[in-house]
Amino acid sequence: ATAQNPPEPASSNAVFISWSGDDDIDLESLDAISLIGGLKTSAMAGANLNTDRVKGMETTASVSYNFSDQVSGTRSARQSTLVGESPLFTDGRVSGNSRTNRVNLNFELNKKDPKKFNFTFQPKFAFNSSASSSRNQSITSDAQGAEVNGTDAAKSASSRTFQANGRISTGYKDFGKERRSLNLTVNYNFNKNLGESREDSRTWYGSSVTPRDLRYDTGGNGKMLSGNLSYLEPFGKYWGLAAIVSTRWQQRNNEKAAFNADGSANDYYSTLSRNDYLLLHQSLQMQYRKENNQFYFGLTHDQTRNEMRSHQLGRDSETGIGEWLHDWSPYVSFRWNWESGHAIRGYY
C-alpha cells in the first residue's frame, strides 16, 4: 500500500510523507520470483523551508526521515550423484531480516546578489542506525537418511553512524581593477561509526564438530578538510595570470576487536587500520578568454604523503611513513568555437 502527499513544485515550504509496504499483500498470490528479494516495508517523511528573512541572504533548510525493513528467506533441496556411489541429499535454509533508520538535515545560505561579493554555506548532517540478523543452515544426508555433514551459522549486527559535512565558499571580484578576483573554498567531512556483531556457528563432518562463537566491537571515524585559494590578476582585456593554492588532509581510522565466547580477546580475528593522507597543490596559470574561446597554460606542483598503519592476523604493518612524493607538471589546454557551431578542444 502507498500513500503520498508530495510538495507542490512552486511552494516554498512543504511537508511530505510517504509509506509503502507489503502488509496487505496476499502471499498465496505471489510467485517464487516475487519473493526472491524478501518482503520490504519503507517509510519516508520530510519538510523543507525557504526564507529570505536574513537581509541580503536566501536560506534553505530541509529535514527528512527514512525507514526500511526487510524480511527474507529461502529453502533449497539438492541431490548429488556420482557414478558407482549412493546419492547425497542436501537440505538448505537461509533466513534474514534487516532494519534501517536514517535522518538527514540540510542547510544552505546564499548571498542574493553575487555580482561583487559571493558567499555560500552548505552544512549537512546525517544520523543512521541499522540492525540485521541472518541464519544459514545446511545438512547433507545419505540415502538411508543418516547425516554426513552440515553447518548451522547465525550472524547478527547493529551499527550507528553520524556524519557532518559541508562547504563554505566566498569570493570577491572587480576590486581595484576589472576582472581581478579572489576566491576561497573550504570543504569538510567528519564521520563516526560504532557497532557490534556476533558470529555463532557449528560445522560438523561425521563425529567431528568445529564450533565458532565470536563477538566483535567495531568502530571508526573519518576526518577530511580541504581548501582552495585562487587569485586572478588581469592583463589587458582578455589575458590574466592565476595563482592557485589548495590542500587536502584526510584521516581514516577503523577498528574491529574480536572476543571469544568466554569474553577473552581474540587477537587473530581483530583488525586495526589508520590512513593519513595529505596533499599540497600549487599552480601558476596564464589565461586567455574571449567570449567562448579560451586558452590556458601553466605549471603545477603536487606534494603527497600517504601513510598506512594496520594490524591484521596478529601482525603489524606500516607503509609510506614520512615519505613525500613530488610531481611537477606543465600543462596546456584550449577550446575554440566557430560561428557555425563547431568547436575544437585539447589538453596536455
Side-chain angles (χ1 to χ4, degrees):
T2 12
Q4 188 167 357
N5 181 22
E8 295 294 332
S11 63
S12 59
N13 306 320
V15 176
F16 59 91
I17 298 174
S18 175
W19 172 83
S20 66
D22 302 306
D23 296 346
D24 56 355
I25 293 178
D26 181 5
L27 297 181
E28 295 182 357
S29 67
L30 294 177
D31 55 24
I33 299 299
S34 303
L35 291 173
I36 288 178
L39 301 178
K40 302 177 182 178
T41 301
S42 62
M44 179 178 67
N48 59 64
L49 169 69
N50 295 325
T51 181
D52 55 2
R53 291 185 178 181
V54 180
K55 186 177 180 180
M57 308 295 288
E58 182 177 2
T59 305
T60 302
S62 67
V63 57
S64 65
Y65 167 73
N66 293 270
F67 164 82
S68 65
D69 182 89
Q70 180 173 344
V71 179
S72 60
T74 61
R75 182 171 181 176
S76 62
R78 183 180 65 195
Q79 177 179 335
S80 305
T81 305
L82 297 177
V83 177
E85 297 185 10
S86 300
L88 296 175
F89 302 90
T90 301
D91 181 45
R93 298 184 182 187
V94 179
S95 60
N97 63 78
S98 63
R99 176 171 294 189
T100 302
N101 294 275
R102 184 177 179 86
V103 176
N104 292 291
L105 299 172
N106 299 324
F107 180 80
E108 185 171 348
L109 184 65
N110 290 298
K111 191 174 184 299
K112 279 188 175 182
D113 183 8
K115 292 181 180 179
K116 190 80 172 179
F117 173 75
N118 69 77
F119 176 80
T120 299
F121 180 37
Q122 298 173 312
K124 300 179 180 180
F125 305 91
F127 308 86
N128 186 82
S129 67
S130 63
S132 64
S133 63
S134 65
R135 188 175 184 182
N136 189 335
Q137 299 170 287
S138 177
I139 298 176
T140 299
S141 306
D142 59 22
Q144 287 72 43
E147 292 185 3
V148 178
N149 60 65
T151 182
D152 188 353
K155 295 182 179 181
S156 61
S158 63
S159 65
R160 299 163 301 283
T161 63
F162 166 75
Q163 183 177 30
N165 63 77
R167 181 174 72 95
I168 303 172
S169 177
T170 184
Y172 191 46
K173 61 183 179 180
D174 297 336
F175 58 97
K177 191 176 184 180
E178 186 180 358
R179 294 196 304 117
R180 178 182 288 161
S181 65
L182 180 66
N183 294 280
L184 173 66
T185 300
V186 176
N187 295 280
Y188 64 90
N189 190 329
F190 303 97
N191 61 77
K192 184 177 181 62
N193 65 82
L194 295 171
E196 304 85 29
S197 62
R198 183 161 190 167
E199 297 180 10
D200 187 1
S201 66
R202 186 170 65 95
T203 303
W204 65 93
Y205 185 85
S207 59
S208 175
V209 180
T210 303
R212 180 173 175 176
D213 188 353
L214 291 173
R215 180 178 62 84
Y216 301 94
D217 287 341
T218 58
N221 61 76
K223 312 176 190 71
M224 188 281 294
L225 186 64
S226 67
N228 181 286
L229 178 65
S230 63
Y231 173 77
L232 175 66
E233 179 63 32
F235 295 98
K237 191 174 181 180
Y238 304 115
W239 286 92
L241 176 64
I244 304 168
V245 178
S246 63
T247 183
R248 179 185 178 93
W249 170 76
Q250 181 173 299
Q251 184 184 90
R252 289 179 294 181
N253 296 279
N254 290 288
E255 182 178 6
K256 185 177 183 180
F259 302 90
N260 299 310
D262 60 2
S264 59
N266 188 314
D267 185 62
Y268 185 80
Y269 288 107
S270 297
T271 61
L272 178 68
S273 67
R274 172 174 169 171
N275 176 235
D276 293 275
Y277 177 85
L278 179 61
L279 169 67
L280 303 175
H281 171 87
Q282 304 90 34
S283 175
L284 197 61
Q285 179 186 94
M286 283 296 297
Q287 302 180 356
Y288 172 84
R289 290 185 180 183
K290 184 179 180 181
E291 298 177 351
N292 293 325
N293 302 319
Q294 58 188 30
F295 174 63
Y296 300 155
F297 66 92
L299 180 69
T300 64
H301 176 221
D302 290 332
Q303 300 167 268
T304 307
R305 188 183 69 193
N306 191 10
E307 300 179 341
M308 176 65 74
R309 300 170 176 85
S310 66
H311 176 85
Q312 190 172 12
L313 301 178
R315 297 181 178 180
D316 295 321
S317 65
E318 294 183 345
T319 58
I321 307 301
E323 297 179 3
W324 284 93
L325 298 178
H326 294 266
D327 182 17
W328 295 86
S329 175
Y331 67 92
V332 59
S333 68
F334 66 90
R335 176 185 174 89
W336 205 264
N337 299 270
W338 285 274
E339 293 181 358
S340 60
H342 294 86
I344 184 172
R345 67 177 65 184
Y347 178 81
Y348 171 77

